[in-house]
Amino acid sequence: MKALICEAFGPIDNLTIKDVPSPVPGPRQVLVEVKSASVNFPDALMVQGLYQIKPPVPFSPGAEVAGVIKAIGSEVKRIAVGDKVIAMLGHGGFAQECIAESQMVMPLPEGMDFDTGAALVLTYCTSLHGLKSCGALKAGETLVVLGAAGGVGVAAIEIGKIMGARVIAAASSEEKLALCRKLGADETINYSTENLKDRIMELTGGKGADVVYDPVGGPYTEPALRALGWRGRLLVVGFAAGEIPKIAINLTLLKERSIVGVYWGDSVKHDPMGHLANLKQLNEWFAAGKIKPVVSERFTLDQGKEAITYIANRKVLGKIVIVP
Ligand SMILES: NC(=O)c1ccc[n+]([C@@H]2O[C@H](COP(=O)([O-])OP(=O)(O)OC[C@H]3O[C@@H](n4cnc5c(N)ncnc54)[C@H](OP(=O)(O)O)[C@@H]3O)[C@@H](O)[C@H]2O)c1
C-alpha cells in the first residue's frame, strides 16, 4: 500500500510517497482502509519536529481518518470488518491503510460522508471542550474567535452560536471573513487591516469581550486580551502564527481576567466520560443540521506534501482532506 512517509524531521518538502507493507493489527487494534484523512495544523509541525509529540521515524503523518474496517485484532469485540468508522490516530493516517487503537474508533454517524467524518472530531471536540469546559461561555456573552476561518476557528463560530453567544470572527482576509459570516458570525474584523483591540472595544460598546478563543498567538493575543471586559477569559488554544506570546500578568489583575489553557487531547484522558458526552452532542447537532464542517479542498495522497504546505502557509478555508 502507498503511504506518505516522513523519514527524518525536516522540511515538509522532504516527505515522500512509498510502497510499504500493509500493517497488521495487534489484539486490540483494527486496520482501516482510509477513505479520507483530514489535514490538521499539528501535522505540519510534527513532520518538522516542532510538535510536542515526536513519533519515532519513519512515520506517516495524519491524525484523523474516516474509512472502512479491513481487519480486526483477536480481542476486538464491538467493531466488525466492513464497518464505516472515524478513527483518531495521532499519526499514520496519510496512507491507503492505517492501524487504529480500537477504543479510538467510533462509527461514522448515519448520513455523514467520509470527508465530513474525517474533518469533524479533532477541531469540533477541541472547540466544544474549550468553549464549554475551559471558557464557561454563556448565552448572551460576546465571543471573539481569532483565526476564525481555520479548522478550530470555524468550529468555534458554529458552536459559539449554538451556545447563544454573539460571535465576532477575526481573520486575515475578506475571503476568510465572508466564510465566517456565512457560518453565522455576527460581526467580523480583518486583523490585517484593522486594529484588533480598538475594533473589539468598538463592537462591544466599550465593554470588552467575554471570551477570546485564540488558536493563533503571535501578535494577536495581547491586543485581544486587552479587549476582554470584566472577568473575561482568554482561551489559549494554539500558536499557528509561530510565536508564543509573552504576556504581562498585570493584564489579568485589571478587570479580573483569566488566561485558560485548552488541551483537548489530554482532557480526553482526564475526563473520558465528558469527551463521550461531547461526541454525542456533536452527533446530535450534526443530525439536526446545526453544524456543517467545511471541507474546502481535496488532495490525492501524491499531493500530500502540497496539502500540508497549504495549511502551513495560512491558505486553508475550514478544513482540507487527503483522499488516498
Ligand atoms: N489546544 C488544543 O487542544 C488544540 C487542538 C487542535 C488544534 N490546536 C492548535 O490550534 C492551532 C490552529 O489549528 P487549526 O487546525 O485551526 O489550524 P488552521 O486551520 O491552519 O487555522 C489556523 C489559523 O491561524 C491563522 N494564522 C495566523 N498566522 C499564521 C501563520 N503564520 N501560519 C498559519 N496560520 C496562521 C490563520 O488564519 P488567518 O490567516 O485568518 O490569521 C489560520 O486560518 C494550531 O496551532 C493547532 O496546533 C490546538
Side-chain angles (χ1 to χ4, degrees):
M1 65 126 184
K2 284 207 292 184
L4 184 70
I5 301 286
C6 172
E7 295 198 89
F9 296 119
I12 297 167
D13 212 35
N14 288 358
L15 297 171
T16 50
I17 296 285
K18 292 224 152 148
D19 259 315
V20 294
S22 240
V24 178
R28 292 184 188 171
Q29 295 178 327
V30 297
L31 179 67
V32 182
E33 181 187 342
V34 179
K35 298 289 189 186
S36 184
S38 79
V39 184
N40 288 288
F41 200 83
D43 301 326
L45 298 177
M46 196 181 276
V47 298
Q48 297 176 83
L50 302 175
Y51 194 55
Q52 60 253 38
I53 297 163
K54 294 184 178 60
V57 289
F59 71 95
S60 288
E64 58 178 345
V65 303
V68 178
I69 297 290
K70 215 171 168 183
I72 60 170
S74 55
E75 293 175 25
V76 175
K77 298 281 178 258
R78 58 178 186 93
I79 305 166
V81 171
D83 284 358
K84 292 180 179 175
V85 296
I86 295 172
M88 303 304 295
L89 312 168
H91 61 88
F94 297 159
Q96 290 176 322
E97 296 169 356
C98 68
I99 292 289
E101 300 299 326
S102 58
Q103 78 271 20
M104 300 307 284
V105 171
M106 68 200 84
L108 185 73
E110 194 69 30
M112 189 181 284
D113 60 45
F114 288 118
D115 289 346
T116 306
L120 178 80
V121 176
L122 201 149
T123 48
Y124 280 80
C125 282
T126 298
S127 295
L128 177 54
H129 165 68
L131 294 176
K132 189 174 80 170
S133 304
C134 308
L137 180 69
K138 291 186 270 304
E141 288 192 322
T142 300
L143 165 68
V144 176
V145 181
L146 308 184
V152 296
V154 159
I157 294 175
E158 289 197 317
I159 293 169
K161 287 306 297 173
I162 294 170
M163 291 172 78
R166 174 181 181 229
V167 175
I168 301 175
S172 66
S173 74
E174 290 309 315
E175 186 192 19
K176 290 184 174 186
L177 293 174
L179 172 67
C180 299
R181 282 190 291 273
K182 202 171 142 199
L183 294 167
D186 299 286
E187 311 281 354
T188 53
I189 301 174
N190 184 335
Y191 50 41
S192 303
T193 57
E194 298 178 280
N195 180 301
L196 181 60
K197 180 191 162 206
D198 291 352
R199 279 293 285 146
I200 296 172
M201 294 310 287
E202 205 173 285
L203 290 169
T204 55
K207 179 174 165 275
D210 297 295
V211 175
V212 168
Y213 189 80
D214 180 10
V216 184
Y220 306 109
T221 304
E222 185 171 329
L225 174 65
R226 286 179 182 273
L228 277 176
W230 178 251
R231 294 207 171 151
R233 291 85 76 199
L234 170 73
L235 299 176
V236 180
V237 182
F239 312 102
E243 182 212 325
I244 298 175
K246 309 274 182 295
I247 298 289
I249 59 171
N250 65 312
L251 294 177
T252 63
L253 182 153
L254 300 168
K255 302 200 180 176
E256 294 193 355
R257 299 169 176 132
S258 310
I259 300 177
V260 188
V262 177
Y263 192 174
W264 171 66
D266 259 18
S267 78
V268 173
K269 294 178 202 150
H270 288 280
D271 181 17
M273 297 316 287
H275 169 57
L276 286 179
N278 283 353
L279 278 176
K280 187 167 172 280
Q281 177 69 85
L282 290 172
N283 280 344
E284 284 168 13
W285 284 340
F286 176 79
K290 291 184 176 174
I291 55 170
K292 293 189 192 76
V294 175
V295 177
S296 59
E297 293 193 52
R298 305 169 96 221
F299 293 74
T300 63
L301 193 55
D302 290 333
Q303 297 168 321
K305 63 184 177 188
E306 283 81 3
I308 299 174
T309 305
Y310 204 65
I311 200 164
N313 286 352
R314 206 173 176 173
K315 291 199 176 134
V316 171
L317 287 177
K319 298 270 290 184
I320 56 174
V321 295
I322 292 176
V323 182

